[in-house]
Amino acid sequence: MSGPYGTMAEKVLMKGNEAIAEAAILAGCRHYFGYPITPQTEVAAYMAKRMPKIGGTFLQAESEIAAINMVMGVASTGRRTMTSSSSPGISLKAEGLSYLAGCDLPALVVNVERGGPGLGGIQPSQSDYFQATRGAAHGDFRMIVLAPASVQEMADLTMHGFDLADKYRMTSMILADGTMGQMMEPVSLEAPEVKTYDKSWAVTGTDCKRPHNIVNSLYLVPEDLERTNFERYERYRTIEENEVMYEEFMMEDAEICIAAFGVAARVSKNAIMAARAEGIKVGMIRPITLWPFPKAAFKKAAEHVNTFVSVELSMGQMIEDVRLATECARPVVLCNRAGGMIPSPEEVLQRIKEVNGGMTK
Amino acid sequence: MTVFDKPKSLTDAPLHYCPGCTHGIIHRLVAEAIDELGIEGRTIGIAPVGCSVMAYNYFTVDMVQAAHGRAPAVATGVKRADPSKIVFTYQGDGDLASIGTCETVHAAARGENITIIFVNNAIYGMTGGQMAPTSLPGQITQTSPYGRDVATQGYPVKVCEMLSQLDGAGYLERVAVNNVKNIKNAKKAILKAFKNQVEGKGFSLIEVVSTCPTNWGLTPEKALEWLNDNMLPYYPLGVYKDKFAEEAAK
Ligand SMILES: Cc1ncc(C[n+]2csc(CCOP(=O)(O)OP(=O)(O)O)c2C)c(N)n1
Ligand code: SF4
C-alpha cells in the first residue's frame, strides 16, 4: 500500500500527535471531534486536513463537552470515532465518559496530559493518572488506559485501542504526556486488519424490519442497574485476565525495580544503564496498560526485588497501584517531578543510589 | 371506518406522563409527522434528560438517551455519521435553554441538518417544579417561591427570538398545544421541520409552548387557560425565521 506517508512499513518522521491521528485514520476512524488545547492541537490540525479528503468528518466542537457527546452520537451508530484533548479538557469530557460507559459504547479518547490542577501549565505531566485509572467520572466504571512511550507506540496503541474498544464496548484512553505528543521520531504506519465486531445494538434505523434499538444508561429499577454493573465488571475481569501489556527491562537479576510509564520510562532507562555501569542491579517494569495494571508482574518481581521506585511526572499516583500490586511486601518509594517538570536521568540515578544505599522512604 | 388511530411510529407502551400533560400530544404530533413522511425506518431520535427522558420507549424508531442538555451534540454525531438518517431531538426548556444552551446555539449556528422539538413548559417538570430559564417574571416555583424576581433571577430566555439572529438557523417556529387550532398548526410546523431535514435543507427547531399541570399546581383545564393567558403574551406564536422559504423566494 502506498499513501501520503510512503509505502507500507516505510519509516517516516512524525510528531506523536500526528502519529495518533494517522493511526486512527488507518484503523478506520472517520469521525473526529475536538476543541483546541495545548499540547494536543496537532491531532485536530491533522484531522482537519485529512478527514475532508477521505470522506470523513472533522468538526471543531463548541466545547469538550460537545465533542465527547458528538463522539457518543457517532459511537451509537456503531462507527469508529474519537476525540482528543489535554487535562482541563478531559475534565469537561468526564460526563460524556460516564455516559459512554453506561451505554456500553466503544470510543477512543486521547489525553495528552499537561500539568495541573486548574489551568495548570502547558508542559508535560502524568498527573491525570488517578482520573484515567480510577474512573474519570461518576458511577462504577473503568476505561482501558494505554500509555505510549514512543511515537511508534502512539500509533500502535491508537490502533490497538480502537480494537479493544470495539471488542469490549467501552472507552479506550490513550494517556500520553505532552512530551509524547510533541516529540518527533521515525514511525512505520501500516493499516491494521480491522476485525468485524457485532454491532447489532447500534442505532442505524430500524428499516421497519427489527424492533427499535435503544442506546441508554437509565435504569430506574435498582435491581436492573445492579445487574448491568455486575455484567460490566464481569467484562472488566476478562480484560484484566487477557489484555495486560507491559515491558520488562533488565529485570532478571534486579534488586531494585523502577516502575515508570511514558516519558518517565525513557528517562529511567538511561538512569538504569548508568546505574548498571556502576554495578547496581536495577531494572524496570513499564506498564503499557495502566488499566488493567500489570499486577502479576509486580507481584512476581516482589519475590526478588528489595525496593520499588515509582518514577512519575506527578505527586505520586501510580505508586499506589505499585503498592497494591505488591501488597506492600517491599518498600515503594517515589522519584518525581511535577507541574510540567520532567525528572532527569541524573535525578533518577541519584534516587537509585539512595535506595541502593538502603533508603526506604 | 377508522377516523382516529395510533400513529405507527408510537409504541404500545403506556405513557408515564401525568394526566393532562401536553407531552403526550406532542409525542403524537412527532409520530404523525414521521408516519406521513414515511421515514420511520430511517429516523433516529435523541431523548433528553427531563420528563421526556423515556421518550425512547414511546417511539418505534431507534433512540439514544443523551446527557442533560447534550442532545444536539449527540444528534450532530449521529447525523454526521450517517447523513441519510433523519435525526431529531426532543428536549425540555431546562435541557435546551439552560444546561444545553451552548449545544443548542452551536448546532443552530452550524446549520446542522437536524430537527429539534423544544417543549417549553416554563418549569423543570421532572425534578419537581423548579424555576426554568423560561419561567415567567413573577412565576412562583419551588426555587422562586416569592415569584421569579427579574432583579435577582433574570429574565426568561426567548429561544426562537435568540436563535433567529443566527445565520445558520433555518426554520424556527413557536407553536402551542392548548387548543385544536393551535395543535393543528403545531402539527404543520413539526411536519415541516422534519420535511426540511428530509430535503437536506438544514436546522429546524419548533418551540412548543406547553403545560405542566402537576408542577403549575393547576388542573389540566386550568393549565391550558394559564398557558393562554400568561405564556402566549410573553412567547408570541409564529414563524421566527424561515431561511429556506426566503431562499426559495429569491
Ligand atoms: C447534569 C444533570 N443535572 C441535573 C439533573 C437533574 N434533572 C433531571 S430532569 C431536570 C430538569 C428538566 O427540566 P426540563 O428540561 O424543563 O424538562 P421537563 O421535565 O420540564 O419536561 C434536571 C435538572 C441531571 N439529570 N443531570
Ligand atoms: S411533571 Fe409536568 S411536564 Fe412532567 S409529566 Fe407531569 S405534567 Fe408533564
Side-chain angles (χ1 to χ4, degrees):
Chain A
M1 187 198 72
S2 158
Y5 304 96
T7 52
M8 188 166 79
E10 188 180 295
K11 291 220 170 188
V12 285
L13 200 60
M14 274 183 130
K15 268 193 178 188
N17 284 336
E18 293 170 343
I20 282 182
E22 184 58 27
I25 290 169
L26 286 172
C29 171
R30 289 294 176 275
H31 303 279
Y32 171 90
F33 306 90
Y35 186 87
I37 185 167
T38 307
Q40 64 75 55
T41 306
E42 292 84 1
V43 183
Y46 195 94
M47 292 301 198
K49 250 195 197 155
R50 290 276 280 134
M51 282 301 192
K53 300 256 161 80
I54 53 173
T57 302
F58 163 80
L59 201 158
Q60 181 170 323
E62 57 269 33
S63 70
E64 287 86 351
I65 298 175
I68 190 81
N69 281 284
M70 290 170 186
V71 162
M72 174 161 159
V74 175
S76 299
T77 73
R79 289 169 174 78
R80 288 192 163 178
T81 178
M82 71 177 285
T83 181
S84 63
S85 188
S86 180
S87 312
I90 298 295
S91 293
L92 279 186
K93 291 187 196 292
E95 175 191 61
L97 293 174
S98 177
Y99 274 73
L100 286 169
C103 296
D104 296 314
L105 291 172
L108 188 90
V109 176
V110 177
N111 181 2
V112 185
E113 295 163 277
R114 53 190 255 180
L119 195 51
I122 58 169
Q123 297 305 321
S125 173
Q126 297 179 331
S127 54
D128 302 343
Y129 181 95
F130 282 153
Q131 186 194 41
T133 61
R134 296 293 190 271
H138 65 281
D140 278 322
F141 78 98
R142 292 285 194 182
M143 299 186 295
I144 293 167
V145 185
L146 304 164
S150 67
V151 175
Q152 185 65 54
E153 278 190 357
M154 290 286 257
D156 295 347
L157 292 178
T158 295
M159 294 182 190
H160 188 53
F162 274 112
D163 273 334
L164 292 175
D166 272 338
K167 189 169 169 190
Y168 296 106
R169 290 183 62 180
M170 63 190 288
T171 297
S172 290
M173 174 175 274
I174 304 289
L175 192 72
D177 53 73
T179 331
M180 290 299 130
Q182 297 302 318
M183 184 169 78
M184 279 189 115
E185 276 182 339
V187 50
S188 85
L189 290 164
E190 240 177 279
E193 201 184 309
V194 177
K195 298 173 202 85
T196 43
Y197 298 91
D198 172 31
K199 301 235 171 139
S200 54
W201 46 265
V203 294
T204 53
T206 63
D207 234 345
C208 302
K209 283 181 186 141
R210 58 159 171 78
H212 67 163
N213 282 343
I214 301 171
V215 171
N216 176 39
S217 60
L218 177 70
Y219 296 85
L220 289 175
V221 180
E223 285 85 350
D224 292 346
L225 182 56
E226 184 191 47
R227 185 173 39 74
T228 68
N229 279 300
F230 272 92
E231 282 169 5
R232 203 166 289 125
Y233 271 70
E234 205 47 57
R235 222 178 324 139
Y236 293 167
R237 238 184 307 282
T238 313
I239 296 170
E240 287 183 305
E241 276 162 24
N242 299 313
E243 308 296 351
V244 170
M245 292 168 73
Y246 62 93
E247 181 201 358
E248 284 197 354
F249 182 69
M250 300 195 151
M251 278 303 293
E252 302 77 30
D253 60 344
E255 288 164 4
I256 298 169
C257 172
I258 286 181
F261 64 98
V263 70
R266 292 173 70 117
V267 171
S268 296
K269 266 193 189 171
N270 291 337
I272 290 168
M273 296 312 285
R276 285 269 173 184
E278 295 184 30
I280 304 174
K281 289 185 176 166
V282 53
M284 174 170 70
I285 299 175
R286 171 174 77 92
I288 298 172
T289 51
L290 299 180
W291 193 86
F293 193 73
K295 285 184 208 162
F298 280 100
K299 192 160 185 199
K300 188 163 153 279
E303 289 167 12
H304 58 90
V305 160
N306 297 329
T307 309
F308 290 84
V309 184
S310 194
V311 182
E312 303 185 49
L313 278 67
S314 74
M315 291 311 293
Q317 299 192 11
M318 184 177 67
I319 191 169
E320 294 195 1
D321 277 332
V322 179
R323 288 197 175 116
L324 283 170
T326 55
E327 292 167 6
C328 298
R330 301 277 179 249
V332 186
V333 305
L334 184 63
C335 173
N336 69 317
R337 296 296 302 268
M341 298 301 292
I342 304 175
S344 68
E346 294 72 33
E347 283 168 324
V348 179
L349 178 61
Q350 177 60 27
R351 197 76 173 112
I352 291 170
K353 284 182 180 168
E354 286 168 10
V355 167
N356 194 45
M359 190 183 278
T360 54
K361 275 205 242 28
Chain B
M1 190 185 78
T2 320
V3 286
F4 198 71
D5 225 342
K6 187 176 71 66
K8 243 177 77 216
S9 302
L10 280 185
T11 63
D12 290 329
L15 302 188
H16 70 282
Y17 299 108
C18 306
C21 173
T22 43
H23 267 306
I25 299 174
I26 304 164
H27 276 34
R28 184 186 172 91
L29 299 183
V30 169
E32 283 179 0
I34 292 171
D35 283 3
E36 282 171 38
L37 292 168
I39 53 173
E40 182 193 349
R42 62 179 176 118
T43 296
I44 296 168
I46 318 295
V49 168
C51 278
S52 47
V53 61
M54 277 188 284
Y56 56 71
N57 280 333
Y58 305 143
F59 294 101
T60 58
V61 304
D62 277 357
M63 298 288 296
V64 182
Q65 198 286 307
H68 200 14
R70 317 297 176 218
V74 174
T76 297
V78 173
K79 188 71 184 181
R80 296 288 180 118
D82 186 355
S84 72
K85 296 298 179 304
I86 303 304
V87 184
F88 78 94
T89 73
Y90 185 106
Q91 302 175 255
D93 42 61
D95 196 79
L96 181 137
S98 185
I99 196 167
T101 318
C102 186
E103 286 78 4
T104 306
V105 167
H106 285 276
R110 286 192 302 268
E112 212 61 62
N113 189 24
I114 57 173
T115 303
I116 292 185
I117 308 300
F118 165 39
V119 180
N120 178 1
N121 59 11
I123 203 142
Y124 281 36
M126 187 178 219
T127 38
Q130 297 81 21
M131 190 184 81
T134 49
S135 293
L136 298 177
Q139 187 178 332
I140 290 173
T141 71
Q142 197 185 61
T143 50
S144 56
Y146 309 110
R148 181 175 189 158
D149 176 1
V150 294
T152 56
Q153 296 173 304
Y155 290 87
V157 176
K158 296 180 173 177
V159 170
C160 282
E161 287 86 336
M162 175 178 75
L163 295 182
S164 69
Q165 302 305 307
L166 298 172
D167 292 343
Y171 172 52
L172 307 167
E173 181 165 352
R174 183 180 290 130
V175 298
V177 283
N178 60 322
N179 59 42
V180 175
K181 179 170 153 280
N182 282 345
I183 290 172
K184 281 192 160 160
N185 199 47
K187 165 66 188 298
K188 261 205 305 213
I190 289 171
L191 185 65
K192 189 169 163 189
F194 274 95
K195 198 153 171 275
N196 284 340
Q197 186 181 163
V198 171
E199 292 169 359
K201 286 179 174 165
F203 184 88
S204 300
L205 177 147
I206 305 301
E207 174 172 344
V208 188
V209 181
S210 41
T211 66
C212 174
T214 301
N215 289 302
W216 290 0
L218 298 172
T219 64
E221 230 182 329
K222 283 263 181 271
L224 294 172
E225 272 172 40
W226 194 86
L227 182 159
N228 191 65
D229 299 345
N230 297 280
M231 286 191 71
L232 296 189
Y234 204 90
Y235 297 111
L237 304 184
V239 177
Y240 282 81
K241 186 163 186 186
D242 193 348
K243 188 170 78 166
F244 311 133
E246 287 160 28
E247 281 167 2
K250 269 184 206 153

